[in-house]
Each structure stands twice: as C-alpha cells, then as structure tokens.
Amino acid sequence: MAEPEFRATGVRIGKRLRSLTRAGQIRISDGRVQLLTSYGSEIDSAPVQAVRASKPWFAPDGRALADLNGNRYSLTLGEHDPAPGEPGPPAARRFIEAVRRAAGRKG
C-alpha cells in the first residue's frame, strides 16, 4: 500500500446530529477517501473524484463537511496545524485542499 497523500487522526466524525467517533481518522490514499473509527474500522469510503469537501460558512475554522456516497459527514479537525512533532489533527483547510488536489480540481 502506498504512503497516504493525507492522514489525520484525532478527528471527531459526525453524521447529522449523531457523533460516530470522537477520535477518528481520515485517510486519502490510492485515489480513495476513507473515514475510519479510532480502532481503524471503516465508517465510509469513496473514490476521491466522488467526494465533495467544503467548509461550512456558519462553523468555526476547525470544521469541514464531506459528502461520501450520498452521506454528509461533519468533521472537526484542528483550527491550526499542530507544531512539528506535536500530536493533533491538521487544520480543516488542509483536508479540503488535499481532497481537491487528489481529485485534480483547482481551489
């Protein structure tokens, strides 16, 4: 398996008003976006070209939305990228950029 193009841990993943995991993972690898639980079980995955990632206009900086297979997930990542060597999820902005870059879309 190739090195992931994007990886984030410690991500809160929710669907509608329900929290699915408080310490989940996001991985973009081999042309797929995967949402995983803290134990590595798959919540959902889809080809990166079929995924829409955006920032909700009403939410704080650390939030992103991802549409996979007709399901909308709210993702809470970090508001700022962690310092080098420090634990913590990257900024939501980096996730959105990574999805667009992997799909070959511009900004």
Side-chain angles (χ1 to χ4, degrees), residues 3-13 21-29 32-41 43-44 62 64 66 74-82 86-99 101:
E3 184 69 25
E5 299 167 33
F6 178 86
R7 185 160 187 249
T9 57
V11 179
R12 181 182 293 260
I13 301 173
T21 183
R22 292 174 40 183
Q25 303 174 39
I26 301 172
R27 189 177 306 154
I28 301 175
S29 181
R32 292 190 71 77
V33 175
Q34 295 179 301
L35 302 180
L36 306 167
T37 67
S38 56
Y39 299 109
S41 300
I43 295 170
D44 205 346
S74 65
L75 310 171
T76 305
L77 293 100
E79 289 187 29
H80 306 287
D81 287 329
E86 292 294 316
R93 165 186 48 79
R94 277 202 33 225
F95 166 69
I96 295 167
E97 290 169 359
V99 169
R101 190 172 47 251

